[in-house]
Amino acid sequence: MVMSNELVQQGLRRIEWAGRDMPVVRRLGEEWARSKPLEGARIAACLHVTTETANLVWALRAAGAEVALCASNPLSTQDDVAAALRSAWGVPVYARRGASTEEYYQHIRQAIRIRPHLTVDDGADLVGVLHAELSEELEEVLAGTEETTTGVLRLQAMARESRLRYPIVAVNEASTKHMFDNRYGTGQSVVDGIMRATNRLLAGCRFVVVGYGWCGRGVASRARGLGARVTVVETDPRKALEAAMDGYDVDDMAGAARKGDVFVTVTGGWRVIDWEHMELMKDGAILANAGHFDVEINLSVLREKAREVREVRPGVTGYVLPDDRTLFVLGEGRLVNLACAEGHPAQVMDMSFANQALVIEWLWRERPALEPRVHPVPAAIDRRVATLKLEAMGLRVQPLTPEQEEYLKSWETGTR
Ligand code: ADE
C-alpha cells in the first residue's frame, strides 16, 4: 500500500507529466489566470479522474471557476490523481477506483451539491441523476457539455421525450474531438489496455473489432499495425463496406465468434456479444469492451453458465464453462483502456479538453439563448482548437490567396 502523502506526490508528478503534452489546455489556463473569465461559475464535472482531467480542472480553476469532480466510471479513477487534487489543490473529488454502483451514484450526488451553473458530463450519468432526483439543484443550471458518443445519444433521447431541462453542447461532435480522441486515443489506449492486462502477442492473432465507428476504426488500425489479423463486425452496411475497403475481413458475429482470439466491443450497443456467440468461441478467447457502459458483453449469462470464475491476473477474469473452455474477460467488461491502462494519451485529451474548456467559457460568457436540447460545438471553437494545436506542434497551414478564396465562392469559371 502506497502511503497517502506518497500517493499525493505521485499524483502530482503524473499530472505534471500529462500537462507537458497538453499545451493547448495549459495555454488557455495561463491566459485565463489573468482574465478570469469563469469568475463566479460553479461547475460539477463527471469525468474519468485521470491526469488529463486534472489538467482540465486546473485550467477551469485558473479561470476562476469553482469545480467539484466525480468519476464517470466506477473503475477508471486513478486514486493518486484523486488524492493529489483533494490534498494538494483542495478540489472536492468524489471518486474511488473500484467504487460500488451505489457509491458511484452517491459520488455524483455529492458533486452536484456544489449547485452547479454548468455541468460537464461523460456518459450523461450526472445529467440523469440531476433530472431524476435533484430538481432543486437543476434550477440553477444554465447549460452543460457532454464528452462522449453514448452520452450524446442518451441526451438526445431525453430531448426527444422533452425531458431535458437545459441545453447541452455535444463536445463529442467537434471534429477536433472525435477524429482524434475517438480514433487515435481509443485506438492506442485499447490496445495498450489489452497488452498490459494480458501481455499477449497480437501479431498473428485473430482480432475481432465489433463496431466500426471512429473508435472501432482506431482500434482496428492499431491492432493491424501490431500484426493482428483483424475481423470487423458491423451492423451498418456502409460502415461494413468501408471496413472491407480498408482491407479488413468483415463477418457477422457468429462467423467472427468461431475464429476470434481477441474480441473488442466498441458499439455503444446492448449485449452485442451474447451467449449464442460465447458458445461458439475458442477455449482461451479474450473479451474486452471499449464502449462507455459495461453492457456490450453479456456478463450475467457468462456468470450464470460458468462452473468457476477466477481472477487469473489483475484485470483478467477467467470463466470456466461446463465444457471446460475458459473465456477471459478484461477489466470486468468496463472500458478496457481505463480499467486496464491509463486511458487516452494526453496529446489527444488536450484537444478534447480544450473543446470542453472553450465551450464552458463561451457558455458562461455569452449565455447563448439555446433550447434545452443537444447542440453542436460552435465551428469557430472547433477551428480554434485545431489552430492552437497545430501552433503548439510547430506546424503551419497554407492560407488561401484572395484569388483562391474568390474562386471558391464563384460559379462563373467552368471548363477552360
Ligand atoms: N477518456 C478516455 N481517456 C481519458 C483520459 N485519459 N482522461 C479522461 N477521460 C478519458
Side-chain angles (χ1 to χ4, degrees):
M1 178 74 183
V2 188
M3 290 297 292
S4 161
N5 187 45
E6 219 176 291
L7 198 66
V8 171
Q9 295 309 319
Q10 177 184 304
L12 288 172
R13 282 193 300 273
R14 293 202 322 109
I15 292 166
E16 189 185 338
W17 175 256
R20 296 178 71 90
D21 286 324
M22 300 181 75
V24 182
V25 169
R26 304 290 305 172
R27 178 170 162 179
L28 295 173
E30 280 158 17
E31 274 174 31
W32 291 344
R34 291 187 289 274
S35 56
K36 299 281 178 200
L38 293 177
E39 200 74 74
R42 290 191 301 269
I43 301 173
C46 178
L47 293 167
H48 301 295
V49 180
T50 65
T51 53
E52 292 74 23
T53 297
N55 279 280
L56 171 64
V57 169
W58 168 79
L60 297 175
R61 283 170 32 109
E66 205 185 316
V67 182
L69 178 65
C70 60
S72 58
N73 185 295
L75 215 51
S76 64
T77 298
Q78 298 172 1
D79 287 329
D80 57 343
V81 172
L85 286 173
R86 268 188 219 111
S87 303
W89 295 6
V91 180
V93 180
Y94 308 101
R96 183 180 73 82
R97 184 181 162 88
S100 65
T101 306
E102 197 182 315
E103 217 182 327
Y104 170 78
Y105 280 104
Q106 193 51 33
H107 287 157
I108 292 180
R109 287 182 204 104
Q110 284 173 300
I112 292 172
R113 279 208 212 114
I114 194 174
R115 293 182 293 113
H117 300 113
L118 297 156
T119 63
V120 179
D121 216 342
D122 185 338
D125 279 345
L126 184 141
V127 174
V129 169
L130 200 47
H131 281 69
E133 301 177 24
L134 301 168
S135 48
E136 222 174 274
E137 283 81 357
L138 195 51
E139 297 305 318
E140 289 190 71
V141 182
L142 296 171
T145 61
E146 171 53 53
E147 170 78 4
T148 201
T149 316
T150 293
V152 170
L153 293 173
R154 292 180 78 195
L155 294 165
Q156 283 168 338
M158 283 177 79
R160 267 197 310 279
E161 291 175 19
S162 304
R163 296 285 298 278
L164 191 62
R165 297 267 305 277
Y166 62 87
I168 307 261
V169 177
V171 164
N172 185 66
E173 305 313 307
S175 58
T176 46
K177 198 279 183 180
H178 62 255
M179 281 169 59
F180 303 94
D181 170 314
N182 299 27
R183 180 169 39 175
Y184 302 116
T186 308
Q188 178 167 317
S189 60
V190 164
V191 170
D192 184 19
I194 294 168
M195 294 200 310
R196 288 198 206 191
T198 65
N199 196 27
R200 292 286 302 275
L201 183 74
L202 294 189
C205 87
R206 176 59 68 182
F207 192 104
V208 178
V209 179
V210 190
Y212 203 63
W214 285 104
C215 295
R217 290 179 185 119
V219 175
S221 117
R222 271 35 190 165
R224 175 161 65 187
L226 284 165
R229 294 174 296 146
V230 177
T231 296
V232 171
V233 177
E234 176 51 65
T235 54
D236 182 328
R238 297 162 299 180
K239 290 186 187 163
L241 200 52
E242 183 187 349
M245 296 213 182
D246 284 344
Y248 300 111
D249 173 44
V250 172
D251 209 336
D252 61 12
M253 200 52 239
R258 285 191 189 88
K259 57 191 167 193
D261 299 304
V262 178
F263 296 82
V264 180
T265 53
V266 224
T267 66
W270 175 259
R271 296 189 173 170
V272 297
I273 295 185
D274 216 330
W275 179 244
E276 66 194 274
H277 313 120
M278 296 172 187
E279 269 189 307
L280 304 171
M281 287 179 183
K282 294 192 253 184
D283 177 37
I286 292 169
L287 280 63
N289 168 52
H292 186 79
F293 288 121
D294 60 342
V295 299
E296 304 203 16
I297 301 168
N298 187 349
L299 287 180
S300 331
V301 74
L302 198 50
R303 258 181 240 120
E304 220 173 83
K305 302 277 183 186
R307 64 172 166 77
E308 196 188 332
V309 180
R310 59 195 155 95
E311 173 108 350
V312 293
R313 285 166 58 91
V316 185
T317 311
Y319 293 81
V320 187
L321 298 172
D323 62 7
D324 287 338
R325 283 176 308 131
T326 304
L327 302 184
F328 296 107
V329 175
L330 307 189
E332 301 173 20
R334 300 198 187 275
L335 283 162
V336 68
N337 56 340
L338 283 142
C340 300
E342 292 168 70
H344 301 353
Q347 286 96 331
V348 287
M349 293 315 295
D350 191 27
M351 287 186 277
S352 312
F353 285 166
N355 273 291
Q356 286 281 5
L358 285 165
V359 169
I360 288 286
E361 190 265 344
W362 168 68
L363 290 168
W364 184 246
R365 178 171 42 81
E366 285 206 11
R367 315 267 167 118
L370 300 172
E371 298 279 310
R373 52 183 177 78
V374 181
H375 298 267
V377 171
I381 290 183
D382 203 359
R383 279 184 79 88
R384 180 152 179 229
V385 171
T387 304
L388 291 173
K389 188 69 179 176
L390 281 168
E391 227 176 276
M393 293 168 80
L395 304 173
R396 282 190 290 271
V397 288
Q398 171 62 43
L400 289 169
T401 64
E403 292 89 340
Q404 287 168 337
E405 256 186 72
E406 194 48 45
Y407 173 78
L408 290 172
K409 281 191 261 163
S410 69
W411 58 270
E412 289 89 347
T413 310
T415 306
R416 283 152 57 101

